[in-house]
Amino acid sequence: MERTSRSYLPPIVSALLLWVVLYIIFPWYRYYIDPDGTSYLTISQRYADGDISTAVNGLWSPWACWLTALLIKAGMQAVPASVVVNAAGATGFLWASWSLFVRFGVPVARQWVYCMAMVVFLCFAVFWQSFDDLWGCFLMLCVLRMMLAQGFARRPALWAGIGMVGALAFFAKAYSLPYFVLCVGVGTFFLAERNRLQWLRIMLVAVPVMLACCFPWVYMLHTKYGIWTTSTAGALNMSWYLVGHPEWKTGIDILVPPIHSGSVYYWEDPYYVNGHLSHYWDSWHLAGLQVLRLGYNCLMLLRCMAEISVLLPMIGAYILVQFLKKFRTLSGDMAAMYLFFLLLPAGYVMVHLESRYLWLMLPIGMVVAWHAEIDGVARKYLQPLFIASIVVFPLWQLRAMCNEGRAEYEFAQRLNAAGIKGADIVSDLHPRLLSKMMYFSGNRFYVISKQRPEPKEDKAANTARLVQDIKRYRITYYLHSPKGNGKLRNPGFDEIFHDNLSDGVSPIPYEKVMTDTASGIILYKLPQQ
């Protein structure tokens, strides 16, 4: 008989191991910044500097920025501070996952296996997305665990408690607000043994407490943007993914300017440069596109789940079947856990999916995998396969991420050595490379909005418009990557513009400031008129 009593050793040893491994491997991942990272880091620095009005942001959730800002104020550099904050969120996620294992009677030996597998997974997750997702998953997992506490349906203090923790989850990731209301609204119905009056009592405490805790932040967003919203992320992402591209504000032509002084580029707060917001209810055409988007995202859901574990889609199907099959007899605890799993992608399938949005599924999937009612022979082979599959994608990605961003960091140092800091730059390099180069060097760049060539492009006319925008914004430098540099270059640039910013034949007619021998990138000083 396997021991199922509580042992604190698995989470304690695993958490210590997590921090030791992160400390050891940090030098190889210190330059990695995810695509959203430069915006989060810039906002964190603004909080640390006391520039609160600019730092308040409707797109990027504030919780990890606040914590990172505290460490910056204490003397840490921004990137290491963000890693420490994310590692703290990972530790909480590990602890909350273990607590779930204990709650559902997973044997201690299996707790060790699960916790060690999560160490590998979390070493990857800490670097892969350096701000909101781990904290959001940890705090929502805490909400679930509090709902599963003994006698939850009769303890008003826990009802208020999940409201407060749910508010923290909202600060960590805005999606947590509708997810909280949905999961708590349905899950507590089962926990209250389908007693509607008791369910209503719980909801009248939990949801108002959460909303009251969230209101100061919502009011700050209202003060800044002039609209009542919990986040600008939903509306922006829905519009962008529906039509396939941003719809820029009137007055923006070829170049999209940075938002604020000190912004790396417009991505710090794209609400200010976005124009029309499209919705699927605006026309039959957009409604049709939404149906296609929904179908595509359902397929992406399977792929994203498989990135977490190749067996997770099978576990998801098992959960759905069990929930429907045993709907009337399912225990409240199991029903609540199933619902947290099944409802997680509900909002994302309307817009966009990435595997990091679904990390909360992992500990729930582990519990279900242990309790699954499957044949003993199948269990013998599927359990080890499940554990192994959890670590495959993280190890593969850690290998790919190793030293990623180092070339951009070293290039940024050479820019600074040439005296280029605090400058406005336009470039034919890929925006993702530029965002890191500019962040590391303390410069800012103007994004080229036109990246998809159309039939019969007039390159001369497009180049003239680009040059006109360069003069309009008084941009100082042109960072040029020769055509042979492949993936370094901005997609579609050569089909839309002449890269010499003139006739496409003559040499670039500007003063050459720096030629980087390592990358071949050349920096030109643009004439100021």
Side-chain angles (χ1 to χ4, degrees), residues 180-386:
F180 173 91
V181 173
L182 190 60
C183 287
V184 172
V186 183
T188 54
F189 178 74
F190 288 90
L191 291 170
E193 298 178 346
R194 298 173 170 81
N195 183 319
R196 295 181 182 179
L197 181 59
Q198 188 64 15
W199 167 79
L200 184 60
R201 292 192 186 103
I202 297 171
M203 293 299 292
L204 288 177
V205 173
V207 174
V209 166
M210 183 199 191
L211 295 178
C213 293
C214 294
F215 182 76
W217 177 252
V218 173
Y219 183 76
M220 292 174 75
L221 294 180
H222 171 70
T223 301
K224 181 166 186 174
Y225 298 107
I227 57 173
W228 287 107
T229 182
T230 57
S231 169
T232 59
L236 289 172
N237 282 314
M238 179 168 284
S239 178
W240 295 341
Y241 283 104
L242 186 61
V243 300
H245 57 83
E247 299 176 83
W248 305 111
K249 184 174 291 186
T250 302
I252 292 177
D253 188 15
I254 297 295
L255 295 178
V256 185
I259 302 301
H260 308 293
S261 174
S263 296
V264 176
Y265 66 130
Y266 82 91
W267 197 234
E268 183 184 339
D269 200 346
Y271 183 82
Y272 283 112
V273 294
N274 193 82
H276 176 70
L277 288 171
S278 295
H279 309 91
Y280 63 84
W281 56 81
D282 290 344
S283 69
W284 286 108
H285 171 69
L286 291 177
L289 289 179
Q290 182 63 62
V291 172
L292 293 175
R293 167 60 57 180
L294 185 62
Y296 172 78
N297 282 341
C298 287
L299 295 176
M300 284 300 298
L301 173 62
L302 298 177
R303 174 183 172 179
C304 291
M305 292 174 71
E307 286 182 0
I308 299 173
S309 166
V310 69
L311 295 184
L312 196 59
M314 294 174 57
I315 293 172
Y318 175 85
I319 290 173
L320 180 60
V321 169
Q322 291 294 307
F323 182 76
L324 296 176
K325 182 180 178 181
K326 301 180 178 181
F327 179 81
R328 296 187 179 279
T329 59
L330 202 60
S331 70
D333 291 352
M334 195 64 75
M337 185 175 67
Y338 282 176
L339 286 165
F340 265 72
F341 186 103
L342 295 172
L343 295 176
L344 179 58
Y348 292 127
V349 294
M350 296 291 291
V351 184
H352 174 64
L353 267 166
E354 296 179 32
S355 59
R356 60 188 175 92
Y357 301 163
L358 308 177
W359 285 344
L360 182 59
M361 288 182 168
L362 179 57
I364 297 175
M366 288 174 161
V367 172
V368 174
W370 176 254
H371 285 281
E373 300 171 1
I374 56 176
D375 179 75
V377 176
R379 174 184 289 271
K380 178 180 178 181
Y381 294 102
L382 288 177
Q383 287 284 347
L385 178 60
F386 176 56

Side-chain angles (χ1 to χ4, degrees), residues 125-137:
V126 164
F127 293 108
W128 181 251
Q129 181 67 22
S130 54
F131 279 82
D132 54 354
D133 290 288
L134 276 175
W135 276 100
C137 289

Side-chain angles (χ1 to χ4, degrees), residues 413-488:
Q413 303 314 299
R414 292 191 285 272
L415 273 181
N416 289 160
I420 312 301
K421 190 175 180 68
D424 290 343
I425 293 175
V426 66
S427 178
D428 55 14
L429 271 71
H430 197 290
R432 287 195 178 182
L433 293 173
L434 279 171
S435 65
K436 288 179 276 190
M437 290 174 174
M438 298 301 105
Y439 174 76
F440 286 134
S441 64
N443 293 294
R444 44 195 245 146
F445 74 100
Y446 289 67
V447 170
I448 295 174
S449 64
K450 191 174 176 62
Q451 297 184 0
R452 294 183 180 180
E454 300 172 3
K456 299 181 179 179
E457 283 282 7
D458 188 340
K459 294 175 71 171
N462 289 336
T463 303
R465 289 164 59 195
L466 173 59
V467 171
Q468 184 61 37
D469 261 6
I470 289 172
K471 294 177 180 178
R472 170 189 175 189
Y473 293 116
R474 303 182 64 82
I475 297 172
T476 317
Y477 295 99
Y478 173 43
L479 199 61
H480 169 60
S481 172
K483 293 181 181 179
N485 276 1
K487 68 177 183 178
L488 293 181

Side-chain angles (χ1 to χ4, degrees), residues 387-426:
I387 301 301
S389 68
I390 292 169
V391 304
V392 169
F393 184 73
L395 289 174
W396 180 265
Q397 288 299 114
L398 281 170
R399 177 179 174 274
M401 293 160 58
C402 185
N403 279 322
E404 184 174 335
R406 181 168 186 165
E408 291 91 326
Y409 174 81
E410 292 174 346
F411 178 81
Q413 303 314 299
R414 292 191 285 272
L415 273 181
N416 289 160
I420 312 301
K421 190 175 180 68
D424 290 343
I425 293 175
V426 66

